[in-house]
Amino acid sequence: MSERPTIAEVRAAQERLHGIARVTPVYPSETLSRLAGRPVLLKAENLQRTGAFKIRGAYNTIAQLSADERDRGVVTASAGNHGQAVAWAAREAGIGATIVVPEAAPMAKVEAARGYGATVELAGEGFDDTVALARAREQETGATFVHAFDDQRVIAGQGTLGLELAGQLPSGELTVVVPVGGGGLASGVAIALDALRPEVRVVGVQSAACAPFAGREPSGATIADGIAVKHPAAVTRAILSDLLDDVVVADDEEISQAIVLLLERSKLVVEGAGAAPVAAILAGRAGGAGPVCAILAGGNIDATTMSSVIRYGMTASGRYLVVALLIPDRPGELARIVGLIAEQRANILSIQHHREGRNIGVLETEAELTLETRGEEHAQTLIRALAEAGYTVRRLR
């Protein structure tokens, strides 16, 4: 089992990463501050090399391998971001790398790892399923296993993000919200801030579908795949139990809305795990007083997932409204409905007629409309206008 790294080891990792890991910026967000009712800062680690914080721990580990370990190459299990980082660091070191990722891993992450020259194998449904195959490859080939979080060198590398924050955050009372999967990032950040800024509260956030640190049993898939770790390490559990002020959760609806907000208002592309801190802040779960800083841990979301998340997020926020109307099956009825919607200044995206397979009368039809609105208040106004016009309105989610 790994030991808890010291602040001296975190500082040594920062020296190794000089010129490798970018010092990512901290941005204030007026929009998120207004919505949260307190100043919100964004640590844009999604702009890091390889698109996530993982390069810090991966490079710090590979840089310390012996000559014999380098000759045998490395292997790792990853939900995607750690695999990319190991592939990049291995390429820079001139050694071979095998990356095992879940079968449903985002293609953006898979193709990036391959692009860095690694061999990528698909196995299982989640991170925990990939570990068994990666360990088998370790035994077969003699390659060094680079764990995503259960490694003192990895945790120390992730802690360099905390060193940056210590100098970037304003003085005074403040809260930092960090996503928690296996706990490597949160452990490293907490160690650094505890040593340099002990007045700062550190709060972890997990996906509601997979939140072992919050005492929840796994309940299915999540768009925050990067933090969907069912079995964290004993070392990270111990560190976070000691240093975290709280652990909260955010569900997929909240996370998807956070992704859309960050894209639209902050012009930042952030994946589910990276947007989880913003989701928790907007839900009022960060606690504490004063400013709050969200660590946007990664931005590796592929176009297909982004498209689905945008649709889901806009529907959840009321900006996409889907309704089914029971209407008389006669000429002119649909034109009347279109006119009502136009009066309310909504945009019709699609209309479908259903005459079969529904519980409707002989002289009735069901019209299913997908509308673009200005938000939930506008959506409710539309629903009321249609109901007041005599239509039976059923909102579809």
Side-chain angles (χ1 to χ4, degrees):
M1 178 173 58
S2 298
E3 297 179 1
R4 174 173 171 166
T6 65
I7 187 62
E9 288 169 320
V10 177
R11 291 189 185 278
Q14 189 175 46
E15 290 296 320
R16 294 187 193 96
L17 287 163
H18 181 71
I20 300 298
R22 296 168 180 150
V23 177
T24 52
V26 172
Y27 298 120
S29 171
E30 182 178 343
T31 297
L32 297 181
S33 298
R34 175 173 50 79
L35 292 173
R38 62 194 297 190
V40 175
L41 305 171
L42 304 172
K43 173 64 168 169
E45 193 68 4
N46 58 310
L47 304 179
Q48 184 56 263
R49 194 185 297 273
T50 74
F53 72 94
K54 293 286 191 177
I55 192 67
R56 299 172 183 269
Y59 187 89
N60 187 52
T61 302
I62 289 175
Q64 297 181 72
L65 296 180
S66 66
D68 178 58
E69 288 173 322
R70 287 170 178 262
D71 288 342
R72 290 184 276 117
V74 294
V75 61
T76 194
S78 170
N81 284 339
H82 176 67
Q84 287 184 68
V86 168
W88 186 91
R91 185 191 68 181
E92 295 302 295
I95 64 178
T98 297
I99 316 297
V100 184
V101 301
E103 292 177 356
M107 287 308 298
K109 299 180 180 182
V110 173
E111 292 305 318
R114 286 177 176 151
Y116 296 136
T119 298
V120 179
E121 298 187 38
L122 307 180
E125 295 183 0
F127 170 79
D128 299 273
D129 296 329
T130 67
V131 174
L133 179 56
R135 287 295 191 185
R137 295 289 180 264
E138 177 189 24
Q139 295 299 318
E140 294 167 6
T141 65
T144 299
F145 184 74
V146 181
H147 202 285
F149 50 84
D150 191 10
D151 189 299
Q152 186 176 6
R153 299 162 298 184
V154 168
I155 296 172
Q158 320 303 28
T160 62
L161 192 153
L163 291 183
E164 290 177 19
L165 278 175
Q168 292 173 316
L169 296 176
S171 60
E173 195 171 6
L174 192 137
T175 299
V176 169
V177 185
V178 54
V180 180
L185 174 64
S187 293
V189 168
I191 288 169
L193 291 177
D194 181 62
L196 303 177
R197 296 284 301 272
E199 78 280 8
V200 173
R201 297 178 67 252
V202 182
V203 174
V205 58
Q206 297 205 278
S207 164
C210 187
F213 284 102
R216 296 194 180 194
E217 292 295 321
S219 59
T222 171
I223 58 173
D225 60 289
I227 53 174
V229 177
K230 299 175 185 176
H231 305 292
V235 64
T236 54
R237 277 192 179 276
I239 294 170
L240 298 185
S241 176
D242 182 28
L243 297 181
L244 279 192
D245 291 277
D246 197 4
V247 179
V248 299
V249 299
D251 62 34
D252 274 14
E253 182 172 312
E254 294 165 334
I255 293 171
S256 68
Q257 290 183 60
I259 291 173
V260 174
L261 266 174
L262 287 164
L263 180 65
E264 271 197 326
R265 305 310 298 268
S266 300
K267 314 308 176 194
L268 292 169
V269 176
V270 181
E271 62 187 277
V278 172
I281 290 168
L282 294 180
R285 301 189 190 111
V292 58
C293 178
I295 297 179
L296 309 181
N300 294 315
I301 183 169
D302 62 31
T304 301
T305 304
M306 176 62 87
S307 177
S308 298
V309 167
I310 288 173
R311 289 196 301 270
Y312 185 88
M314 294 199 44
T315 301
S317 65
R319 291 175 60 189
Y320 282 168
L321 172 66
V322 184
V323 293
L325 305 181
L326 194 61
I327 64 176
D329 191 9
R330 62 191 181 203
E333 203 63 43
L334 188 58
R336 179 176 178 235
I337 292 169
V338 170
L340 285 169
I341 293 170
E343 288 175 7
Q344 297 299 324
R345 308 300 296 172
N347 185 35
I348 299 174
L349 300 179
S350 69
I351 300 176
Q352 292 182 315
H353 266 108
H354 301 293
R355 290 184 174 86
E356 302 84 17
R358 306 294 171 107
N359 186 24
I360 56 180
V362 175
L363 300 179
E364 293 179 316
T365 185
E366 185 181 76
E368 183 178 307
L369 296 90
T370 301
L371 310 173
E372 184 179 11
T373 74
R374 295 189 296 273
E376 182 61 28
E377 184 177 349
H378 188 204
Q380 292 294 337
T381 300
L382 269 166
I383 292 171
R384 285 195 299 271
L386 291 167
E388 288 169 1
Y391 296 109
T392 301
V393 185
R394 180 164 56 96
R395 186 171 185 175
L396 305 180
R397 293 282 188 176

